[in-house]
Amino acid sequence: MIPSLTRRSFLGSSALGGAGLLTAGCTPARVASASTKPVCLPRVNVAPERVIRHLVGLRPYRASGFVVRAEQMGGTKLVHNYGHGGAGITLSWGSSKLAVDLGLPGHKGPVAVIGAGIMGLTTARLAQEAGHAVTIYADALPPDTTSNIAGGQWHPFGLFDKDAVTPEWRRQYLAAADYSWRRFQIMVGDDYGIHWLPTYTERTQPETPLFDTFPPENRILRADEHPFPVESAGRYITLYVETGRFLRQMLRDIQIAGGRIEVRKLGTGDIGGLPERLVFNCTGLGARDLVGDQELRPARGQLAVLLPQPEIGYAFAGRAGYMFPRPDGIMLGGTFELDNWSLTPDPATAERILKSHRQFFDAFRC
């Protein structure tokens, strides 16, 4: 069972770390007194009339971690790439690299990808870069995918239960994270909606490094170095992805490179009937029905999105929730509710998210 924890404490326990959604509603802790006036940052205006939409997404959570493995189905090789919890954006390029490295060697001819979320699009693009023709089969395309609802922070979250994973899986996870971290860096800019941002967290120790280069500029701040109404805060730098823009551009890239897209819902019995002899299963939570993976559980997340504030050039995560600023809106999270299949925004949850963030930003010490 996953306890109700802040994003950062959860990262250090059951997840080691898109971009997930927090349990909101806690009142910020009292801050220790500072001897000098704290550095100020612009406040987010959390006014109800600034809300532009409420979003709900179901993350594909597996206690034993995401799946990258191959199996033979008659004359078809099926490679699985699903189950990334709240780390789908973060691990997308790396997990898809593991999948194509498993499936492509020795294969000649076209390939199929099932699913058009972040895993499907990155898998398709890597297969194209390796010289293969690609057809994507999906019953939903961006912007109607779960990936479109992700907060977009590059930081693994809500991914696994630390007691349920193996050392072999951890090595796979770190390899995926390392490749993905480097791949996103070469895509930074407005074209794909990827930008660096300083990120502040409510914590007493620096972030636990995932590997040597992540996270950069990782340290605990003095009380006079931040305005937040918390006992202790940390700061590091990471990437943020404007998911709508990123997914649109990826879809264009695939089509420009000759990729075909067929809007079609596939069942298990349809896989062997596809003309492609190599198929990548990137269906996320849909793999529960497609291939019978009953370990997959929905982890429901809800967001409140505010009008953009261009002056907000930082992100924050703590007991109040998380705030990720993007050009398309300020993302306020949220929840991590296992086994809740509802896609309807809950008004009470929305109010808790807004209330906790409003209290937090109104209590700035400058």
Side-chain angles (χ1 to χ4, degrees), residues 339-361:
D339 302 320
N340 185 340
W341 289 89
S342 174
L343 288 169
T344 302
D346 174 58
T349 299
E351 177 55 32
R352 286 197 303 272
I353 292 170
L354 293 173
K355 180 179 179 181
S356 65
H357 284 88
R358 186 166 56 248
Q359 290 177 338
F360 176 78
F361 288 105

Side-chain angles (χ1 to χ4, degrees), residues 53 55-58 115-118 121 138-150 243-245 247-248 251 263 265 282-283 343:
R53 61 188 180 275
L55 301 174
V56 173
L58 303 180
I118 186 68
L121 298 185
D139 61 348
L141 301 177
D144 299 318
T145 69
T146 298
S147 298
N148 284 87
I149 302 170
T243 52
R245 181 180 298 191
L247 294 168
R248 285 195 305 272
L251 205 55
V263 179
K265 185 174 179 63
C282 304
T283 55
L343 288 169

Side-chain angles (χ1 to χ4, degrees), residues 70 77 79 97-107 111 132 278 280:
K77 185 176 184 179
V79 179
K97 182 68 162 59
L98 294 175
V100 297
D101 285 351
L102 185 61
L104 292 182
H107 177 75
V111 304
H132 294 266
L278 174 60
F280 292 93

Side-chain angles (χ1 to χ4, degrees), residues 79-104:
V79 179
H80 301 287
N81 181 21
Y82 67 83
H84 298 79
I89 300 294
T90 298
L91 296 178
S92 55
W93 283 110
S95 183
S96 296
K97 182 68 162 59
L98 294 175
V100 297
D101 285 351
L102 185 61
L104 292 182

Side-chain angles (χ1 to χ4, degrees), residues 59-211:
R59 311 175 193 84
Y61 176 78
R62 297 179 83 255
S64 63
F66 65 86
V67 175
V68 174
R69 63 176 176 82
E71 64 175 294
Q72 203 68 31
M73 296 183 66
T76 299
K77 185 176 184 179
L78 179 63
V79 179
H80 301 287
N81 181 21
Y82 67 83
H84 298 79
I89 300 294
T90 298
L91 296 178
S92 55
W93 283 110
S95 183
S96 296
K97 182 68 162 59
L98 294 175
V100 297
D101 285 351
L102 185 61
L104 292 182
H107 177 75
K108 299 186 184 301
V111 304
V113 174
I114 309 176
I118 186 68
M119 289 300 160
L121 298 185
T122 51
T123 298
R125 194 71 193 97
L126 288 169
Q128 287 182 323
E129 291 175 1
H132 294 266
V134 173
T135 298
I136 295 176
Y137 299 91
D139 61 348
L141 301 177
D144 299 318
T145 69
T146 298
S147 298
N148 284 87
I149 302 170
Q153 184 194 48
W154 203 101
H155 199 312
F157 167 75
L159 177 60
F160 62 91
D161 183 326
K162 63 182 177 61
D163 296 322
V165 296
T166 65
E168 292 76 18
W169 183 89
R170 286 182 181 272
R171 286 191 288 270
Q172 176 178 265
Y173 160 54
L174 291 175
D178 178 69
Y179 181 86
S180 200
W181 176 236
R182 291 181 285 114
R183 180 74 184 223
F184 272 111
Q185 289 180 43
I186 65 173
M187 304 177 77
V188 168
D190 290 340
D191 286 350
Y192 292 93
I194 302 170
H195 299 95
W196 296 99
L197 272 183
T199 301
Y200 297 89
T201 60
E202 182 180 356
R203 59 185 302 126
T204 58
Q205 297 294 326
E207 293 283 321
T208 302
L210 194 59
F211 40 77

